[in-house]
mmCIF file of all heavy atoms in Angstrom:
data_model
loop_
_atom_site.group_PDB
_atom_site.id
_atom_site.type_symbol
_atom_site.label_atom_id
_atom_site.label_comp_id
_atom_site.label_asym_id
_atom_site.label_seq_id
_atom_site.Cartn_x
_atom_site.Cartn_y
_atom_site.Cartn_z
ATOM 1 N N ALA A 8 22.227 42.086 -31.014
ATOM 2 C CA ALA A 8 21.937 41.991 -29.586
ATOM 3 C C ALA A 8 22.723 43.068 -28.855
ATOM 4 O O ALA A 8 23.892 43.326 -29.178
ATOM 5 C CB ALA A 8 22.300 40.606 -29.048
ATOM 6 N N ILE A 9 22.088 43.687 -27.857
ATOM 7 C CA ILE A 9 22.736 44.741 -27.074
ATOM 8 C C ILE A 9 22.548 44.417 -25.598
ATOM 9 O O ILE A 9 21.437 44.525 -25.071
ATOM 10 C CB ILE A 9 22.153 46.131 -27.386
ATOM 11 C CG1 ILE A 9 22.260 46.439 -28.881
ATOM 12 C CG2 ILE A 9 22.855 47.209 -26.566
ATOM 13 C CD1 ILE A 9 21.586 47.730 -29.305
ATOM 14 N N PRO A 10 23.599 43.998 -24.901
ATOM 15 C CA PRO A 10 23.491 43.775 -23.458
ATOM 16 C C PRO A 10 23.795 45.058 -22.687
ATOM 17 O O PRO A 10 24.754 45.759 -22.999
ATOM 18 C CB PRO A 10 24.546 42.705 -23.194
ATOM 19 C CG PRO A 10 25.581 42.913 -24.262
ATOM 20 C CD PRO A 10 24.883 43.525 -25.435
ATOM 21 N N ARG A 11 22.982 45.355 -21.674
ATOM 22 C CA ARG A 11 23.231 46.489 -20.783
ATOM 23 C C ARG A 11 23.214 45.981 -19.354
ATOM 24 O O ARG A 11 22.201 45.455 -18.888
ATOM 25 C CB ARG A 11 22.158 47.579 -20.940
ATOM 26 C CG ARG A 11 22.350 48.452 -22.140
ATOM 27 C CD ARG A 11 21.366 49.614 -22.164
ATOM 28 N NE ARG A 11 21.585 50.560 -21.081
ATOM 29 C CZ ARG A 11 20.990 51.754 -21.016
ATOM 30 N NH1 ARG A 11 20.140 52.133 -21.960
ATOM 31 N NH2 ARG A 11 21.231 52.570 -20.006
ATOM 32 N N GLY A 12 24.344 46.101 -18.685
ATOM 33 C CA GLY A 12 24.415 45.630 -17.306
ATOM 34 C C GLY A 12 25.855 45.433 -16.893
ATOM 35 O O GLY A 12 26.773 46.046 -17.444
ATOM 36 N N GLY A 13 26.065 44.545 -15.935
ATOM 37 C CA GLY A 13 27.400 44.294 -15.421
ATOM 38 C C GLY A 13 28.269 43.540 -16.412
ATOM 39 O O GLY A 13 27.787 42.953 -17.389
ATOM 40 N N GLU A 14 29.571 43.545 -16.119
ATOM 41 C CA GLU A 14 30.530 42.909 -17.021
ATOM 42 C C GLU A 14 30.238 41.421 -17.208
ATOM 43 O O GLU A 14 30.387 40.880 -18.303
ATOM 44 C CB GLU A 14 31.950 43.101 -16.487
ATOM 45 C CG GLU A 14 33.021 42.567 -17.408
ATOM 46 C CD GLU A 14 34.427 42.834 -16.903
ATOM 47 O OE1 GLU A 14 34.570 43.475 -15.843
ATOM 48 O OE2 GLU A 14 35.378 42.398 -17.578
ATOM 49 N N SER A 15 29.786 40.747 -16.158
ATOM 50 C CA SER A 15 29.522 39.312 -16.264
ATOM 51 C C SER A 15 28.388 39.029 -17.239
ATOM 52 O O SER A 15 28.457 38.077 -18.023
ATOM 53 C CB SER A 15 29.198 38.725 -14.887
ATOM 54 O OG SER A 15 28.036 39.332 -14.346
ATOM 55 N N LEU A 16 27.331 39.854 -17.209
ATOM 56 C CA LEU A 16 26.225 39.689 -18.155
ATOM 57 C C LEU A 16 26.701 39.909 -19.582
ATOM 58 O O LEU A 16 26.403 39.119 -20.491
ATOM 59 C CB LEU A 16 25.094 40.668 -17.829
ATOM 60 C CG LEU A 16 24.002 40.762 -18.901
ATOM 61 C CD1 LEU A 16 23.186 39.483 -18.945
ATOM 62 C CD2 LEU A 16 23.093 41.971 -18.663
ATOM 63 N N ILE A 17 27.463 40.973 -19.787
ATOM 64 C CA ILE A 17 27.903 41.320 -21.139
ATOM 65 C C ILE A 17 28.806 40.226 -21.706
ATOM 66 O O ILE A 17 28.682 39.826 -22.872
ATOM 67 C CB ILE A 17 28.604 42.694 -21.134
ATOM 68 C CG1 ILE A 17 27.591 43.781 -20.740
ATOM 69 C CG2 ILE A 17 29.213 43.000 -22.499
ATOM 70 C CD1 ILE A 17 28.200 45.118 -20.421
ATOM 71 N N ARG A 18 29.707 39.716 -20.886
ATOM 72 C CA ARG A 18 30.587 38.641 -21.362
ATOM 73 C C ARG A 18 29.793 37.373 -21.665
ATOM 74 O O ARG A 18 30.069 36.676 -22.644
ATOM 75 C CB ARG A 18 31.679 38.358 -20.328
ATOM 76 C CG ARG A 18 32.725 39.458 -20.250
ATOM 77 C CD ARG A 18 34.005 39.016 -19.582
ATOM 78 N NE ARG A 18 34.964 40.103 -19.536
ATOM 79 C CZ ARG A 18 35.754 40.440 -20.550
ATOM 80 N NH1 ARG A 18 35.698 39.754 -21.677
ATOM 81 N NH2 ARG A 18 36.597 41.446 -20.426
ATOM 82 N N ALA A 19 28.814 37.071 -20.838
ATOM 83 C CA ALA A 19 27.998 35.879 -21.077
ATOM 84 C C ALA A 19 27.252 35.991 -22.401
ATOM 85 O O ALA A 19 27.191 35.026 -23.178
ATOM 86 C CB ALA A 19 27.016 35.682 -19.925
ATOM 87 N N VAL A 20 26.696 37.160 -22.679
ATOM 88 C CA VAL A 20 25.982 37.370 -23.947
ATOM 89 C C VAL A 20 26.941 37.267 -25.131
ATOM 90 O O VAL A 20 26.669 36.581 -26.120
ATOM 91 C CB VAL A 20 25.274 38.740 -23.937
ATOM 92 C CG1 VAL A 20 24.767 39.100 -25.337
ATOM 93 C CG2 VAL A 20 24.117 38.734 -22.940
ATOM 94 N N ALA A 21 28.085 37.936 -25.021
ATOM 95 C CA ALA A 21 29.050 37.926 -26.123
ATOM 96 C C ALA A 21 29.578 36.523 -26.419
ATOM 97 O O ALA A 21 29.785 36.150 -27.572
ATOM 98 C CB ALA A 21 30.209 38.870 -25.811
ATOM 99 N N GLU A 22 29.785 35.737 -25.361
ATOM 100 C CA GLU A 22 30.353 34.403 -25.540
ATOM 101 C C GLU A 22 29.352 33.403 -26.108
ATOM 102 O O GLU A 22 29.723 32.470 -26.814
ATOM 103 C CB GLU A 22 30.885 33.892 -24.194
ATOM 104 C CG GLU A 22 32.159 34.614 -23.740
ATOM 105 C CD GLU A 22 32.500 34.357 -22.288
ATOM 106 O OE1 GLU A 22 31.782 33.537 -21.650
ATOM 107 O OE2 GLU A 22 33.472 34.963 -21.789
ATOM 108 N N ARG A 23 28.063 33.599 -25.838
ATOM 109 C CA ARG A 23 27.061 32.632 -26.266
ATOM 110 C C ARG A 23 26.379 33.008 -27.579
ATOM 111 O O ARG A 23 25.701 32.179 -28.183
ATOM 112 C CB ARG A 23 25.995 32.473 -25.178
ATOM 113 C CG ARG A 23 26.497 31.784 -23.906
ATOM 114 C CD ARG A 23 25.433 31.843 -22.827
ATOM 115 N NE ARG A 23 25.882 31.218 -21.593
ATOM 116 C CZ ARG A 23 25.493 30.014 -21.183
ATOM 117 N NH1 ARG A 23 24.674 29.291 -21.926
ATOM 118 N NH2 ARG A 23 25.931 29.533 -20.038
ATOM 119 N N ALA A 24 26.525 34.243 -28.010
ATOM 120 C CA ALA A 24 25.756 34.728 -29.162
ATOM 121 C C ALA A 24 26.315 34.243 -30.497
ATOM 122 O O ALA A 24 27.523 34.170 -30.689
ATOM 123 C CB ALA A 24 25.714 36.257 -29.152
ATOM 124 N N ARG A 25 25.382 33.944 -31.406
ATOM 125 C CA ARG A 25 25.735 33.707 -32.808
ATOM 126 C C ARG A 25 25.248 34.857 -33.676
ATOM 127 O O ARG A 25 25.339 34.787 -34.904
ATOM 128 C CB ARG A 25 25.125 32.383 -33.276
ATOM 129 C CG ARG A 25 25.716 31.166 -32.562
ATOM 130 C CD ARG A 25 25.113 29.872 -33.048
ATOM 131 N NE ARG A 25 25.417 29.636 -34.460
ATOM 132 C CZ ARG A 25 24.971 28.585 -35.147
ATOM 133 N NH1 ARG A 25 24.196 27.688 -34.541
ATOM 134 N NH2 ARG A 25 25.281 28.431 -36.407
ATOM 135 N N VAL A 26 24.715 35.874 -33.044
ATOM 136 C CA VAL A 26 24.285 37.086 -33.743
ATOM 137 C C VAL A 26 25.242 38.208 -33.348
ATOM 138 O O VAL A 26 25.929 38.113 -32.331
ATOM 139 C CB VAL A 26 22.831 37.452 -33.373
ATOM 140 C CG1 VAL A 26 21.887 36.308 -33.727
ATOM 141 C CG2 VAL A 26 22.709 37.810 -31.894
ATOM 142 N N PRO A 27 25.308 39.284 -34.137
ATOM 143 C CA PRO A 27 26.186 40.403 -33.773
ATOM 144 C C PRO A 27 25.809 40.997 -32.418
ATOM 145 O O PRO A 27 24.628 41.116 -32.085
ATOM 146 C CB PRO A 27 25.955 41.417 -34.902
ATOM 147 C CG PRO A 27 25.438 40.608 -36.047
ATOM 148 C CD PRO A 27 24.645 39.498 -35.435
ATOM 149 N N VAL A 28 26.828 41.364 -31.635
ATOM 150 C CA VAL A 28 26.618 41.941 -30.308
ATOM 151 C C VAL A 28 27.336 43.281 -30.233
ATOM 152 O O VAL A 28 28.518 43.382 -30.590
ATOM 153 C CB VAL A 28 27.149 41.014 -29.190
ATOM 154 C CG1 VAL A 28 26.962 41.658 -27.823
ATOM 155 C CG2 VAL A 28 26.442 39.661 -29.239
ATOM 156 N N ILE A 29 26.635 44.308 -29.793
ATOM 157 C CA ILE A 29 27.252 45.613 -29.533
ATOM 158 C C ILE A 29 27.383 45.741 -28.023
ATOM 159 O O ILE A 29 26.401 45.608 -27.301
ATOM 160 C CB ILE A 29 26.416 46.760 -30.114
ATOM 161 C CG1 ILE A 29 26.335 46.634 -31.641
ATOM 162 C CG2 ILE A 29 27.011 48.110 -29.726
ATOM 163 C CD1 ILE A 29 25.437 47.657 -32.299
ATOM 164 N N LYS A 30 28.603 46.019 -27.537
ATOM 165 C CA LYS A 30 28.846 45.854 -26.103
ATOM 166 C C LYS A 30 29.876 46.847 -25.572
ATOM 167 O O LYS A 30 30.617 47.462 -26.330
ATOM 168 C CB LYS A 30 29.347 44.440 -25.840
ATOM 169 C CG LYS A 30 30.618 44.100 -26.609
ATOM 170 C CD LYS A 30 30.931 42.620 -26.595
ATOM 171 C CE LYS A 30 32.176 42.299 -27.407
ATOM 172 N NZ LYS A 30 32.016 42.609 -28.834
ATOM 173 N N HIS A 31 29.881 46.987 -24.265
ATOM 174 C CA HIS A 31 31.053 47.503 -23.555
ATOM 175 C C HIS A 31 31.142 46.744 -22.238
ATOM 176 O O HIS A 31 30.149 46.536 -21.551
ATOM 177 C CB HIS A 31 30.981 49.022 -23.351
ATOM 178 C CG HIS A 31 30.283 49.466 -22.108
ATOM 179 N ND1 HIS A 31 28.936 49.785 -22.078
ATOM 180 C CD2 HIS A 31 30.743 49.637 -20.850
ATOM 181 C CE1 HIS A 31 28.610 50.139 -20.852
ATOM 182 N NE2 HIS A 31 29.676 50.066 -20.086
ATOM 183 N N TYR A 32 32.348 46.292 -21.938
ATOM 184 C CA TYR A 32 32.520 45.465 -20.761
ATOM 185 C C TYR A 32 32.537 46.271 -19.473
ATOM 186 O O TYR A 32 31.929 45.917 -18.486
ATOM 187 C CB TYR A 32 33.804 44.636 -20.883
ATOM 188 C CG TYR A 32 33.694 43.557 -21.927
ATOM 189 C CD1 TYR A 32 34.558 43.529 -23.018
ATOM 190 C CD2 TYR A 32 32.726 42.574 -21.840
ATOM 191 C CE1 TYR A 32 34.466 42.534 -23.973
ATOM 192 C CE2 TYR A 32 32.622 41.586 -22.804
ATOM 193 C CZ TYR A 32 33.493 41.564 -23.867
ATOM 194 O OH TYR A 32 33.386 40.591 -24.808
ATOM 195 N N LYS A 33 33.267 47.364 -19.447
ATOM 196 C CA LYS A 33 33.315 48.169 -18.237
ATOM 197 C C LYS A 33 33.812 49.564 -18.573
ATOM 198 O O LYS A 33 34.306 49.819 -19.677
ATOM 199 C CB LYS A 33 34.213 47.525 -17.181
ATOM 200 C CG LYS A 33 35.654 47.272 -17.596
ATOM 201 C CD LYS A 33 36.397 46.558 -16.470
ATOM 202 C CE LYS A 33 37.843 46.259 -16.859
ATOM 203 N NZ LYS A 33 38.570 45.593 -15.763
ATOM 204 N N GLY A 34 33.663 50.461 -17.599
ATOM 205 C CA GLY A 34 34.077 51.841 -17.803
ATOM 206 C C GLY A 34 35.195 52.229 -16.859
ATOM 207 O O GLY A 34 34.927 52.732 -15.767
ATOM 208 N N VAL A 35 36.433 51.969 -17.257
ATOM 209 C CA VAL A 35 37.573 52.461 -16.482
ATOM 210 C C VAL A 35 37.969 53.797 -17.101
ATOM 211 O O VAL A 35 38.773 53.862 -18.031
ATOM 212 C CB VAL A 35 38.749 51.466 -16.488
ATOM 213 C CG1 VAL A 35 39.908 52.017 -15.663
ATOM 214 C CG2 VAL A 35 38.313 50.124 -15.935
ATOM 215 N N CYS A 36 37.364 54.864 -16.605
ATOM 216 C CA CYS A 36 37.556 56.204 -17.162
ATOM 217 C C CYS A 36 38.703 56.911 -16.447
ATOM 218 O O CYS A 36 38.917 56.721 -15.244
ATOM 219 C CB CYS A 36 36.274 57.013 -17.031
ATOM 220 S SG CYS A 36 34.838 56.228 -17.808
ATOM 221 N N ASN A 37 39.434 57.722 -17.194
ATOM 222 C CA ASN A 37 40.628 58.406 -16.688
ATOM 223 C C ASN A 37 40.518 59.908 -16.894
ATOM 224 O O ASN A 37 39.974 60.359 -17.918
ATOM 225 C CB ASN A 37 41.872 57.909 -17.440
ATOM 226 C CG ASN A 37 42.070 56.415 -17.323
ATOM 227 O OD1 ASN A 37 42.747 55.926 -16.437
ATOM 228 N ND2 ASN A 37 41.477 55.655 -18.245
ATOM 229 N N ILE A 38 41.076 60.664 -15.952
ATOM 230 C CA ILE A 38 41.237 62.112 -16.132
ATOM 231 C C ILE A 38 42.704 62.445 -15.913
ATOM 232 O O ILE A 38 43.283 62.104 -14.869
ATOM 233 C CB ILE A 38 40.368 62.919 -15.157
ATOM 234 C CG1 ILE A 38 38.881 62.695 -15.452
ATOM 235 C CG2 ILE A 38 40.704 64.410 -15.255
ATOM 236 C CD1 ILE A 38 37.942 63.421 -14.502
ATOM 237 N N TYR A 39 43.295 63.099 -16.911
ATOM 238 C CA TYR A 39 44.683 63.555 -16.817
ATOM 239 C C TYR A 39 44.695 65.059 -16.567
ATOM 240 O O TYR A 39 44.161 65.844 -17.362
ATOM 241 C CB TYR A 39 45.445 63.233 -18.102
ATOM 242 C CG TYR A 39 46.794 63.917 -18.205
ATOM 243 C CD1 TYR A 39 47.766 63.760 -17.220
ATOM 244 C CD2 TYR A 39 47.100 64.735 -19.307
ATOM 245 C CE1 TYR A 39 48.999 64.392 -17.309
ATOM 246 C CE2 TYR A 39 48.337 65.363 -19.414
ATOM 247 C CZ TYR A 39 49.279 65.189 -18.409
ATOM 248 O OH TYR A 39 50.509 65.813 -18.510
ATOM 249 N N VAL A 40 45.302 65.472 -15.444
ATOM 250 C CA VAL A 40 45.449 66.895 -15.128
ATOM 251 C C VAL A 40 46.849 67.310 -15.548
ATOM 252 O O VAL A 40 47.859 66.913 -14.948
ATOM 253 C CB VAL A 40 45.212 67.165 -13.631
ATOM 254 C CG1 VAL A 40 45.334 68.657 -13.345
ATOM 255 C CG2 VAL A 40 43.828 66.661 -13.222
ATOM 256 N N ASP A 41 46.917 68.112 -16.585
ATOM 257 C CA ASP A 41 48.175 68.521 -17.213
ATOM 258 C C ASP A 41 48.848 69.632 -16.400
ATOM 259 O O ASP A 41 48.207 70.314 -15.592
ATOM 260 C CB ASP A 41 47.855 69.000 -18.637
ATOM 261 C CG ASP A 41 49.080 69.406 -19.415
ATOM 262 O OD1 ASP A 41 50.017 68.589 -19.499
ATOM 263 O OD2 ASP A 41 49.102 70.537 -19.939
ATOM 264 N N ASP A 42 50.144 69.827 -16.654
ATOM 265 C CA ASP A 42 50.860 70.896 -15.940
ATOM 266 C C ASP A 42 50.409 72.276 -16.393
ATOM 267 O O ASP A 42 50.729 73.272 -15.741
ATOM 268 C CB ASP A 42 52.379 70.742 -16.107
ATOM 269 C CG ASP A 42 52.825 70.816 -17.548
ATOM 270 O OD1 ASP A 42 52.254 70.078 -18.388
ATOM 271 O OD2 ASP A 42 53.738 71.603 -17.866
ATOM 272 N N GLU A 43 49.669 72.367 -17.518
ATOM 273 C CA GLU A 43 49.133 73.653 -17.963
ATOM 274 C C GLU A 43 47.615 73.697 -17.782
ATOM 275 O O GLU A 43 46.912 74.386 -18.522
ATOM 276 C CB GLU A 43 49.518 73.901 -19.416
ATOM 277 C CG GLU A 43 51.032 74.032 -19.614
ATOM 278 C CD GLU A 43 51.413 74.346 -21.047
ATOM 279 O OE1 GLU A 43 51.193 75.506 -21.477
ATOM 280 O OE2 GLU A 43 51.928 73.448 -21.738
ATOM 281 N N ALA A 44 47.129 72.983 -16.781
ATOM 282 C CA ALA A 44 45.692 72.971 -16.493
ATOM 283 C C ALA A 44 45.286 74.198 -15.698
ATOM 284 O O ALA A 44 46.081 74.764 -14.937
ATOM 285 C CB ALA A 44 45.335 71.716 -15.717
#
């Protein structure tokens, strides 16, 4: 099973499933600007 949508949908699918689930809960992406950038 593959849920695509908000975090609440993905968690609901993952918690109720008895089949394998491929998921990502959310995208907290980071950018690091280095001193040698």
Side-chain angles (χ1 to χ4, degrees):
I9 303 174
R11 281 187 66 169
E14 184 177 358
S15 61
L16 169 70
I17 296 168
R18 288 198 180 278
V20 169
E22 288 166 4
R23 291 172 181 256
R25 294 181 64 182
V26 301
V28 178
I29 297 175
K30 58 193 178 296
H31 88 267
Y32 290 120
K33 58 183 179 179
V35 180
C36 303
N37 302 269
I38 295 178
Y39 168 56
V40 182
D41 182 54
D42 61 309
E43 296 183 73

